[in-house]
Amino acid sequence: MSFREKIPWIALFGLLSAFGWYFLNYPWEIANSPKGMYTAVWMLLPVTIIFLVPMVAGAAFFAIRSPKDADLKEDEREKGIHLRGTHLAYYPLAIGVQLNIFVLINGFNYGYAVTILIATLVIAELIRVGSQLYYYRRGY
């Protein structure tokens, strides 16, 4: 497994652990209130830490373990994998933005909008990282 393939695995673990914690601990009963919106925003601080620690530690660990692999330039296959993954993530992102606009137009408070926006980003990132892992495993 190459260095560039290990990074999406770390990102997948970080996304699932950080945002799994976020959505499991979010106070859903107050989601559509100003307090719910502020809670959602303040909960992003530990989410950032939970996400960044494995990313930085994992990337550093794998870079130290195989420095030649980490210094290699990205080849055409890897560029194609990244482009395909980003392309696939665009569709749920666009749908999520439209859903967010619908929620705001129909009078929901900002708490639900912030939660839908965060969920949209997380789903798009999971699709991007997951598809990249799929393409790496398939050898595209």
Side-chain angles (χ1 to χ4, degrees), residues 65-121:
R65 198 162 162 222
S66 57
K68 290 180 183 177
D69 197 18
D71 288 336
L72 288 175
K73 290 187 82 172
E74 196 174 43
D75 62 10
E76 292 301 318
R77 181 182 74 89
E78 291 170 334
K79 287 179 185 178
I81 287 171
H82 289 268
L83 284 174
R84 281 193 288 274
T86 303
H87 177 77
L88 286 175
Y90 170 79
Y91 298 109
L93 187 62
I95 291 168
V97 167
Q98 291 173 354
L99 180 62
N100 210 21
I101 291 169
F102 175 79
V103 164
L104 288 171
I105 287 173
N106 286 308
F108 287 93
N109 287 337
Y110 297 112
Y112 285 143
V114 168
T115 305
I116 291 171
L117 187 61
I118 291 170
T120 299
L121 289 172

Side-chain angles (χ1 to χ4, degrees), residues 8 81-82 85-86 127-137:
I81 287 171
H82 289 268
T86 303
I127 289 173
R128 183 185 67 82
V129 170
S131 64
Q132 287 175 355
L133 290 171
Y134 172 77
Y135 290 134
Y136 272 118
R137 294 281 85 199

Side-chain angles (χ1 to χ4, degrees), residues 7-8 11-13 15 21-22 44 67 70 75 92 97 112 121 134 140:
I7 298 301
L12 181 66
F13 170 75
L15 282 167
W21 174 85
Y22 177 85
L44 290 177
D75 62 10
V97 167
Y112 285 143
L121 289 172
Y134 172 77
Y140 290 123

Side-chain angles (χ1 to χ4, degrees), residues 3 6-11 13 51-66 70:
F3 176 77
K6 293 174 186 171
I7 298 301
W9 280 110
I10 299 168
F13 170 75
F51 179 70
L52 281 180
V53 167
M55 285 296 295
V56 171
F61 173 77
F62 289 123
I64 290 169
R65 198 162 162 222
S66 57

